[in-house]
Amino acid sequence: MPLARQRDGVRPLEVGVRRPRSALVATLAHESLGAVLALALAVLALRHVLATERVALLWYDGDSVLLPLVARSVALGQPFEWAMSPALFFFPELPVYLGVSAVTATPQQALALNGVLVLLAVYAIVRAAANELMTAATRPARIAVSVLAVVLLTMLVLTESSATATSLELASLLLTTTYYYGAVLAMLGTGVLVLRTVRTGRASVPVLVTLGLVAALTTASNPLYVPWSAGPVVVTLGLLVAARRLPWRPAALVAATLTVGAVVGYLVRIPLRPFVSLDPSTYVHPERAGATAAFFAALTDDRAASASGDAGLLLMLLGVLLSAGGTVWALRARASRTVLVACALPLVTIAAVSVGVVVAGSETPRYLEPVVAMPLLALVAVCELTRTAVRQTRLHRPVRALRTLLAVGAAAVLVAGVAVTPGTARAVVEARYTPVDCLDRWVDAHRSAGRDPVGVGQFWTIRPLAAYAEQDVRLLQVRDTFDTYPWLVDLGAYRQARPDYVVIGSGDVWTTPVEDSLGRPATITHCTGYDVYDYAGTRGADVLRERVVGSALAVLRQRGF
């Protein structure tokens, strides 16, 4: 009996030619190669961050050390009475970080490993998207396209090198633990679940349950999920249903599930309110829309001031063009519904977050992270459109040149990854926050004398010190008035505290000079980047206890802890 003709990439059944075991081995080999390539790209991205000023944002920024501080607090057995931001980082950031910190020796190692895992998760999600979008393609083709998406993301990271989060350097923020990578992964994962529903033409119970859980858990932890993911999905599906490109029933079920999940997430935030420092609505200032547009225009000019910045802007523009061009191509070519959604959803998301940030009057560039993440789905869809278009010509057979190009590219990535891995691992293992050594020695000396010193200081100065100091160093976060600053800090640490020294950073701004508020310190110790004012045995120690602990207890009562 003759073999059935191969159609659209689906191989015929060849009885007796290929055994299941050999097929499994081939599958594992292909998938392992894709994962190794993604790991090599992740290491390349991490190495670039470590070799530039961006490392300060990864390891030593006041926001970036939040989860190391949480892990430290948990290890010390302190009450879990944290004052977070509107983003609580309870899902998935905190569980993931606690897991990686359990298998690493320092916060630097944990943060680096966390960043690599995030980029691997991006690859895994894009790989799942390729399965939904390229059902007729071979497994190696789907893997190659997924790796290509991570290559685009890595290239973006390689253009980013500043130490600030207030820039249009968005891709490298995924390597950090507190710049919303959880919401980004949930956004991409939601896109894949939507694609599964569109491809099958029905909203299965497992998909809807998973979608609802992702929406509820992510919204409860970070309400950005709604404008980043749930809202754009509902709008996209609604537009395509109105255009009669999608059946209304599965689209309605997905939209309803996301809506219910988001509402449940907001309801879960009610009992979590003691942990929330500011209501998300306080970030909305429509009257500042004009100033915000000017702000982002200035950021774009700053980004374009260097060759790497120009390259980064061009890559971001490429992502937008893939989304917009792919949508037009899919509509004109009457492509599959899955491909159309994979192009249209990123386009709607980019438009929603770009306009939304300006209308909300928010001068916070990191809210634009979907602009660099969602086009990865469009890239896969455009690759499928290209593959389908080529197969309709006489050039449908894979040419040797293309295979050679892909093999050379994969080899280059592997060689580069292997080449930088030893140096990257060494940099992570040997990383030390040397400014903290002076404070460690100071505290150890006073503990040896029978004293239990507790210090206070401002946000940007003491947070990296608190994260990287020895376990017996206690630092409390205060404003320039010495009132407690309840932002990304464990308020439980203030209970029964007796602060008696002040850490004054070289960049601190004190409305009233410290000596005018507390008097002359008993001693002053000069360290790299900061001074230690010791008020033990002086009137200043009494003032510190009254203001710091008194204001902390008031905040604790107000929050209901």
Side-chain angles (χ1 to χ4, degrees), residues 125-210:
I125 295 173
V126 175
R127 177 70 186 85
N131 280 344
E132 303 301 330
L133 291 165
M134 305 177 69
T135 54
T138 61
R139 183 180 300 274
R142 296 196 296 268
I143 293 172
V145 169
S146 303
V147 172
L148 181 62
V150 182
V151 168
L152 176 61
L153 186 63
T154 303
M155 290 174 63
L156 264 170
V157 173
L158 297 180
T159 68
E160 303 174 358
S161 58
S162 75
T164 178
T166 56
S167 69
L168 287 181
E169 297 172 315
L170 305 174
S172 54
L173 295 180
L174 286 173
L175 287 160
T176 69
T177 56
T178 48
Y179 289 110
Y180 317 139
Y181 83 77
V184 172
L185 294 182
M187 175 183 66
L188 292 172
T190 296
V192 172
L193 292 171
V194 171
L195 294 178
R196 167 63 66 88
T197 300
V198 171
R199 180 179 67 81
T200 60
R202 63 186 185 88
S204 65
V205 173
V207 169
L208 291 179
V209 170
T210 305

